[in-house]
């Protein structure tokens, strides 16, 4: 049995000890809605971003943001954007390609290590690539050095990269890998596309990876189309993803070692031309989602909430949606979705990322030409 898949508690403990993040005091016009926890407000922290994809927090509480166009930016304490961090690798951009997720190592305050995902050039096109690097922060900018490619999906495809990263309690990296727009690759077990990758922080293969016959050794699970959200549930360490289906069939999955999540053999979606995909919605030996959406909402960015600002949401799933431009709250009872709540529908833009801040607020990134970071908290 695999051990140590709990959440990144070292980073969380550091962040929660900071107290209220400085950015929350910035003046801005708030948008408010009623919710199951009362009136809540979304306030702009910073705008002027080029399709922001991922939010993290530096140990001093400042935001660090990736832009799909290939930049890493730090949001200063007064809410302005620093100059792009230097030392970036060559990144393929255009369409769905670009810079994706970035996470800080648990010992970032001492080591400066970060891990980031992007579309890098492979022998046959842009392919999901994950690097480690040392980030040296200089004021509200900085530089990357000591870079290493940890893993790359061989063969590009130009679409559906996945690109989310999480660090488990055992220090290993979990990485969502999309099917790159070639659906049958999700059932090719020698291929890293269309599943969950698990590697060590140095790119090595953990000894306790499942390794069924014929599987690439870096794989933890297979059969996902394009997982755009990834979270590790506190307490039991469950690995949760949200993935884009085709037309209908977006899914919330609990990922377990050695399991096959079915795409494209089974799905609750259909082709965009209305034609059937695969063999139906279930088949022996293939896993069912915890929840699915039809019509699709294009889920992206996922957290399991823990924090002081929304105590009634403890342990619940909160995610963004690109389609319908909304924040989604799933009330959970273990692995069972009890209810779904849709918030800010059509008001904030395409929600690409959702993170929990050091102050317990939710921070959202909007996937727009003039993208924003928003803070969601109880209305005052």
């Amino acid at each position: 049995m695999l051990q140590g898949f709990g959440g990144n508690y070292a980073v969380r403990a550091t962040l929660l000890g900071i107290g209220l993040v400085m950015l929350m005091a910035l003046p801005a016009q708030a948008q408010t809605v009623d919710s199951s926890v009362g009136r809540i407000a979304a306030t702009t922290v910073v705008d002027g971003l080029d399709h922001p994809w991922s939010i993290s927090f530096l140990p001093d509480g400042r935001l660090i943001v990736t832009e799909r166009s290939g930049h890493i930016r730090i949001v200063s304490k007064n809410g302005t954007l620093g100059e792009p961090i230097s030392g970036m690798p060559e990144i393929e951009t255009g369409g769905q390609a670009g810079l994706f997720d970035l996470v800080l190592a648990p010992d970032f305050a001492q080591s400066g290590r970060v891990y980031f995902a992007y579309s890098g050039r492979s022998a046959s096109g842009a392919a999901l690539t994950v690097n480690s690097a040392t980030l040296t922060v200089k004021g509200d900018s900085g530089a990357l050095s000591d870079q290493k490619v940890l893993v790359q999906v061989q063969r590009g495809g130009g679409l559906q990269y996945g690109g989310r990263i999480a660090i488990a309690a055992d220090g290993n990296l979990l990485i969502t890998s999309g099917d790159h727009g070639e659906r049958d690759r999700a059932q090719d077990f020698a291929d890293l596309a269309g599943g969950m990758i698990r590697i060590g922080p140095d790119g090595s293969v953990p000894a306790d990876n499942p390794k069924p016959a014929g599987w690439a050794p870096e794989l933890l699970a297979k059969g996902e189309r394009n997982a755009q959200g990834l979270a590790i549930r506190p307490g039991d360490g469950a690995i949760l993803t949200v993935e884009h289906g085709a037309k209908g069939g977006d899914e919330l999955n609990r990922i377990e070692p050695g399991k096959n999540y079915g795409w494209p053999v089974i799905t609750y979606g259909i082709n965009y031309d209305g034609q059937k995909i695969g063999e139906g919605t279930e088949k022996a030996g293939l896993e069912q989602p915890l929840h699915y959406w039809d019509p699709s909402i294009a889920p992206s960015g996922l957290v399991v909430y823990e924090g002081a600002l929304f105590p009634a949401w403890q342990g619940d799933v909160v995610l963004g949606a690109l389609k319908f431009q909304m924040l989604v709250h799933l009330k959970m009872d273990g692995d069972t979705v009890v209810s779904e709540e849709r918030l800010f529908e059509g008001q904030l833009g395409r929600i690409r990322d959702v993170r929990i801040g050091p102050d317990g607020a939710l921070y959202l990134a909007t996937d727009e030409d003039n993208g924003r970071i928003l803070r969601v908290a109880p209305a005052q």
Side-chain angles (χ1 to χ4, degrees), residues 76-269:
S76 71
K77 295 177 182 179
N78 64 5
T80 59
L81 287 174
E83 290 297 315
I85 285 168
S86 64
M88 295 297 295
E90 183 177 353
I91 295 175
E92 297 292 326
T93 59
Q96 296 179 12
L99 178 59
F100 308 130
D101 209 356
L102 179 145
V103 298
L104 279 60
D107 66 347
F108 174 83
Q110 292 76 42
S111 71
R113 297 302 286 173
V114 297
Y115 307 96
F116 60 96
Y118 62 100
S119 52
R121 176 58 55 181
S122 75
S124 59
L128 176 68
T129 308
V130 175
N131 283 18
S132 66
T134 298
L135 170 61
T136 302
V137 176
K138 300 175 182 178
D140 290 323
S141 187
L144 295 179
S145 62
D146 189 26
Q147 291 197 52
K148 178 183 178 182
V149 174
L150 301 182
V151 67
Q152 183 176 67
V153 176
Q154 295 304 304
R155 293 177 24 225
L159 297 170
Q160 296 161 202
Y161 293 94
R164 289 291 177 194
I165 306 171
I167 304 177
D170 59 9
N172 290 311
L173 305 184
L174 302 172
I175 303 157
T176 68
S177 174
D179 68 7
H180 283 61
E182 300 170 345
R183 63 178 59 169
D184 291 341
R185 295 179 67 181
Q187 293 297 317
D188 179 352
F189 300 102
D191 191 343
L192 296 182
M196 179 73 73
I197 296 168
R198 180 180 183 245
I199 57 173
D202 59 355
S204 61
V205 175
D208 57 349
N209 271 8
K211 303 185 187 70
W215 282 43
E218 300 90 347
L219 287 170
L220 181 71
K222 279 285 277 184
E224 287 203 297
R225 181 176 183 265
N226 185 26
Q228 293 271 299
L230 169 64
I232 301 174
R233 188 163 62 195
D236 65 358
I239 303 167
L240 302 180
T241 64
V242 285
E243 69 167 299
H244 291 196
K247 185 177 181 181
D250 296 345
E251 295 182 357
L252 169 68
N253 283 305
R254 176 173 177 169
I255 303 299
E256 298 187 56
K259 297 292 182 69
N260 184 345
Y261 290 81
W263 173 258
V265 179
I266 61 170
T267 177
Y268 286 88

Side-chain angles (χ1 to χ4, degrees), residues 325-344:
Q325 303 181 10
M326 61 188 177
L327 186 67
V328 178
H329 163 232
L330 299 178
K331 187 67 181 175
M332 304 297 295
D333 181 5
D335 287 340
T336 300
V337 176
V338 176
S339 63
E340 177 177 342
E341 182 177 17
R342 300 185 172 195
L343 302 165
F344 299 105

Side-chain angles (χ1 to χ4, degrees), residues 225 243-251 263 266-272 275 277 281 291-299 323-324:
R225 181 176 183 265
E243 69 167 299
H244 291 196
K247 185 177 181 181
D250 296 345
E251 295 182 357
W263 173 258
I266 61 170
T267 177
Y268 286 88
I270 59 175
N271 272 314
Y272 296 105
Q275 297 298 305
I277 299 173
T281 59
H291 186 71
Y292 71 91
W293 289 271
D294 188 9
S296 296
I297 66 168
K323 189 177 178 181
F324 306 128

